[in-house]
């Protein structure tokens, strides 16, 4: 007598995801879907993909801006494989996400063997010179060197040269220059201190993350996604960190502060005014941005909604609190479980840390 063969079942990551998709959306047909996946393997449907992308945002423990997760617009570009066409779709992404300044959260999801090698679609070059000083963004020195190794000749050499995109499809990597009209930027000035405007600082309107894969039930898909900025990301980190643009001494000088003694709190005063400058400049340019007080309150509303839906909010407290005046926000006074839930976004290794193996895909 032979034992009955067990029915094939999909791997648990796919099965767990499908069970969640059907439970949350109330769609019937889980059993049939599981049987299909067991027989043919798991290829997410467009609806499953859109659900996964939105829930991955909802599950992003480092993101304080999750309140509008349901409004994420999802572009299923799994059929796009030619680097030139990927680039064309990324230009559409930049234009549509910007929306004349209204900025809408958007994710473009690519074919499994496609990847953008830049960590964000818009990044400023960091040129290290012989004496060790950096022109531009020191965070992007390795990226800049990597793009040069792929054949990029370098930009004009300003502190804000937009880097080209390296797009990989299979084993091929191609470089593409972003046209200036695809990159919306905001010049930074201060309403009362003209010396801050004279520093010639600007920042790009859109943060578009491109070095994370969407994990849908064990299927990893490279993608690019954006929301809008919290001004602290630009003013309290990118422009202020001493290993980034390191602008606090120059802002303090523009404000006429005494920088000889720490007790004048010149760093803190310069930091606050730089944050004011970024908020006012984005507002004057008609580009959506949120301040850290407002986004923190929105996060507590997100927590309330999630609790009502019977879900627990996970978070990494050190990422959720703002780098300016954290104790003035409600998030400071709360605690969070930082264990990750699925579906989620996963960081892909930097291409210069994980060179492409012959025949191998860098993110598998
Ligand atoms: N902190 C990053 C930057 O300054 C952007 C991360 C994503 N931020 C966002 N608001 N969606 O470029």
């Amino acid at each position: 007598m032979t034992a009955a063969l067990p029915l094939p079942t999909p791997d648990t990551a796919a099965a767990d995801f499908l069970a969640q998709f059907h439970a949350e959306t109330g769609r019937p047909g889980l059993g049939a879907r599981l049987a299909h996946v067991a027989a043919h393997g798991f290829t997410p449907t467009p609806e499953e993909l859109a659900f996964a992308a939105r829930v991955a945002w909802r599950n992003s423990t480092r993101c304080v801006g999750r309140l509008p997760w349901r409004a994420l617009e999802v572009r299923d570009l799994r059929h796009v494989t030619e680097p030139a066409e990927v680039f064309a779709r990324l230009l559409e992404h930049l234009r549509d996400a910007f929306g004349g300044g209204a900025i809408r959260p958007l994710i473009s999801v690519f074919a499994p063997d496609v990847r953008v090698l830049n960590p964000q679609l818009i990044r400023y070059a960091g040129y290290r010179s012989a004496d060790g000083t950096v022109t531009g963004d020191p965070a992007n020195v390795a990226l800049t060197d990597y793009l040069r190794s792929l054949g990029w000749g370098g930009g004009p050499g300003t502190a804000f040269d937009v880097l080209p995109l390296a797009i990989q499809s299979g084993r091929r990597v191609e470089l593409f220059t972003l046209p200036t009209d695809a990159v919306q930027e905001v010049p930074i000035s201060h309403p009362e201190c003209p010396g801050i405007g004279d520093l010639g600082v600007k920042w790009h309107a859109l943060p578009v993350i491109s070095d994370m894969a969407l994990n849908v039930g064990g299927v990893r898909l490279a993608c690019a996604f954006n929301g809008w900025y919290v001004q602290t990301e630009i003013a309290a980190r990118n422009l202020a960190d001493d290993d980034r643009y390191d602008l606090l001494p120059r802002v303090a000088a523009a404000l006429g502060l005494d920088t000889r003694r720490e007790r004048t709190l010149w760093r803190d005063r310069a930091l606050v005014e730089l944050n004011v400058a970024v908020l006012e400049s984005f507002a004057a340019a008609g580009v959506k941005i949120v301040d850290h007080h407002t986004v923190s309150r929105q996060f507590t509303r997100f927590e309330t909604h999630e609790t009502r839906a019977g879900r627990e909010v996970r978070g990494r407290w050190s990422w959720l609190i703002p780098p300016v005046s954290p104790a003035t926000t409600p998030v400071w006074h709360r605690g969070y479980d930082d264990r990750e839930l699925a579906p989620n976004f996963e960081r892909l290794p930097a291409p210069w840390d994980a060179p492409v193996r012959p025949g191998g895909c860098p993110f598998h």
Side-chain angles (χ1 to χ4, degrees), residues 120 123 203-204 207 209 226-230 233-234 238:
Q120 285 192 32
R123 293 280 78 180
W203 203 258
H204 51 91
I209 305 291
N226 73 278
W228 48 81
Y229 266 117
V230 183
E233 301 182 83
I234 302 168
N238 304 347

Side-chain angles (χ1 to χ4, degrees), residues 57 63-65 120 122-123 137 203-204 206-209 225-235 237-238 244 290 295 319 347:
W57 185 10
C63 179
V64 73
Q120 285 192 32
I122 303 169
R123 293 280 78 180
D137 192 341
W203 203 258
H204 51 91
L206 284 176
V208 193
I209 305 291
F225 58 83
N226 73 278
W228 48 81
Y229 266 117
V230 183
Q231 103 285 346
T232 49
E233 301 182 83
I234 302 168
R237 303 300 312 278
N238 304 347
R244 299 292 299 285
V290 67
V295 81
W319 279 70
R347 182 82 59 191

Side-chain angles (χ1 to χ4, degrees), residues 257-258 261-271:
L257 301 175
D258 177 357
R261 286 157 306 161
E262 290 295 349
R263 73 160 182 270
T264 65
L265 299 187
W266 63 269
R267 293 178 203 277
D268 310 73
R269 297 177 68 182
L271 188 59

